[in-house]
Amino acid sequence: MKISWPERQPVQRFCCITMVKDEELFLEQWANHYIRELPGCGIMIVDHGSKVPVVETIARLGLSGRVSVIAMPGFPFDDQTKSAILSSLAGAALCGYETVITSDVDEILIPMPSTAATPLADLLDGETATFVAPTGVEFIHNADLEEDFDFSRPLLEQRRFVRFHSAYSKPAIWRSNSATFGSGQHHLSEPYEFTAKIALAHLKYVDVKASRNRQAQRNDFEYSDRQLARGRISSWETADPATWSRTLFANATRVTDQANSAEVFSKFYSEMNNRQNKAGVVLTAHTSHHLRSRTEIVVFSGF
């Protein structure tokens, strides 16, 4: 049942929300990123039964006074349940905050290269739509040129090889509690707009070793009966975590053409803004569009 929220009277600007299970490394990057880039923002984390409780990780990072943690038991993972929890929490947060950012813990908002000189808070304030989807940008470790990722340091100090990906152009920026997420937070029940000024940086492949260790850990997850019946765990399963995504990581080491980044981005963004259903109708709302567009790997600069 959809909640009927009263009229909003927000008193603070930004709140960042995520839900995690055994994600200490990404939690460090995620929390410190928003504390640094959005001073004074609210930070809320749902702990889905982590082996090391999130409150302990937050204490270790010295952030106990800055982060609110909601502890839940480790019930079997279900994508739709997670989306419902995040939708509800975002709706509640919007009673007191002007803008809420809701994403997975391995996803953070960053300026695009063309807006790199503008603070993230100003970019968010500059977006006029009620719901906004940043451009999905997947960072990929080039192990030939880049060191192991330091999760305590800013992303853009360490990584520059990316591919644009429609699946991660998620409607993560909310200014109303009238919406609910679809499964995986990839879609929304309300119309939303894409922006070329802000990226949703996806860090799943930001480090070869960390990525493979995480994949092995996820192979041990317990999934709900509904999740298993829907067959929605294939992206988390692999027979051999040690060689998982070997081709993708190898492709990052072969990037030689740095001049085509702007062209690749322009084509991708145009396709996202003109996504259509089978009848040729341009889509901006929660309608299945089957768009799974991803580009070649390029350098995150020059556009």
Side-chain angles (χ1 to χ4, degrees):
M1 182 177 68
K2 187 175 181 179
I3 299 173
S4 296
W5 296 100
E7 182 179 352
R8 296 177 60 217
Q9 291 186 296
V11 295
Q12 294 187 37
R13 289 174 75 189
F14 304 111
C15 183
C16 305
I17 298 172
T18 194
M19 180 172 173
V20 303
K21 183 178 180 66
D22 301 329
E23 295 279 19
E24 292 181 72
L25 289 176
F26 286 101
L27 186 57
E28 179 176 14
Q29 174 74 195
W30 183 88
N32 280 319
H33 172 76
Y34 285 120
I35 289 171
R36 181 175 58 250
E37 300 298 328
L38 299 175
C41 70
I43 297 184
M44 300 182 185
I45 300 169
V46 179
D47 181 4
H48 178 201
S50 296
K51 293 176 183 176
V52 177
V54 168
V55 290
E56 295 183 14
T57 300
I58 292 302
R60 176 178 60 80
L61 297 174
L63 302 177
S64 296
R66 284 287 289 111
V67 177
S68 299
V69 178
I70 300 171
M72 299 193 71
F75 54 85
F77 178 83
D78 186 277
D79 236 347
Q80 291 182 338
T81 298
K82 178 181 177 181
S83 292
I85 290 171
L86 291 175
S87 298
S88 301
L89 188 54
L94 280 159
C95 294
Y97 293 91
E98 294 176 2
T99 302
V100 166
I101 300 155
T102 308
S103 73
D104 289 338
V105 74
D106 61 354
E107 299 165 344
I108 56 175
L109 295 185
I110 61 173
M112 294 290 278
S114 61
T115 56
T118 305
L120 180 60
D122 292 347
L123 291 174
L124 288 166
D125 286 340
E127 295 294 334
T128 59
T130 303
F131 301 100
V132 180
T135 301
V137 181
E138 202 161 41
F139 280 79
I140 302 165
H141 184 193
N142 181 339
D144 284 356
L145 299 177
E146 299 169 329
E147 301 294 330
D148 292 349
F149 192 73
D150 183 345
F151 286 85
S152 68
R153 291 174 50 210
L155 167 68
L156 294 180
E157 290 182 0
Q158 307 178 71
R159 295 292 183 263
R160 62 194 186 101
F161 294 90
V162 305
R163 64 178 178 182
F164 305 104
H165 204 313
S166 64
Y168 302 109
S169 298
K170 299 181 179 181
I173 303 167
W174 291 23
R175 291 200 179 91
S176 169
N177 47 21
S178 62
T180 55
F181 278 121
S183 183
Q185 302 91 61
H186 293 284
H187 304 290
L188 207 61
S189 61
E190 297 283 341
Y192 57 92
E193 295 183 6
F194 295 104
T195 177
K197 296 181 180 179
I198 304 172
L200 185 61
H202 188 226
L203 309 184
K204 184 176 184 178
Y205 304 105
V206 77
D207 183 88
V208 174
K209 294 177 184 176
S211 180
R212 289 176 176 165
N213 288 339
R214 186 190 195 206
Q215 187 66 22
Q217 172 184 297
R218 284 188 163 186
N219 280 346
D220 294 330
F221 270 23
E222 181 183 3
Y223 299 94
S224 72
D225 292 341
R226 179 174 58 183
Q227 191 84 3
L228 291 169
R230 295 169 68 223
R232 295 294 182 88
I233 63 172
S234 58
S235 64
W236 284 16
E237 283 189 314
T238 180
D240 185 5
T243 59
W244 182 68
S245 292
R246 175 169 48 193
T247 300
L248 179 63
F249 288 122
N251 286 344
T253 68
R254 301 189 183 104
V255 177
T256 57
D257 183 3
Q258 299 184 16
N260 71 347
S261 298
E263 179 182 346
V264 170
F265 169 67
S266 178
K267 181 179 178 181
F268 173 82
Y269 188 67
S270 176
E271 181 178 359
M272 290 298 295
N273 271 290
N274 291 282
R275 59 188 182 142
Q276 300 177 359
N277 64 14
K278 294 179 180 179
V281 177
V282 175
L283 302 171
T284 59
H286 178 64
T287 306
S288 181
H289 55 81
H290 306 293
L291 181 60
R292 289 293 179 267
S293 174
R294 60 189 183 192
T295 71
E296 61 187 287
I297 300 173
V298 296
V299 176
F300 194 61
S301 63
F303 54 92

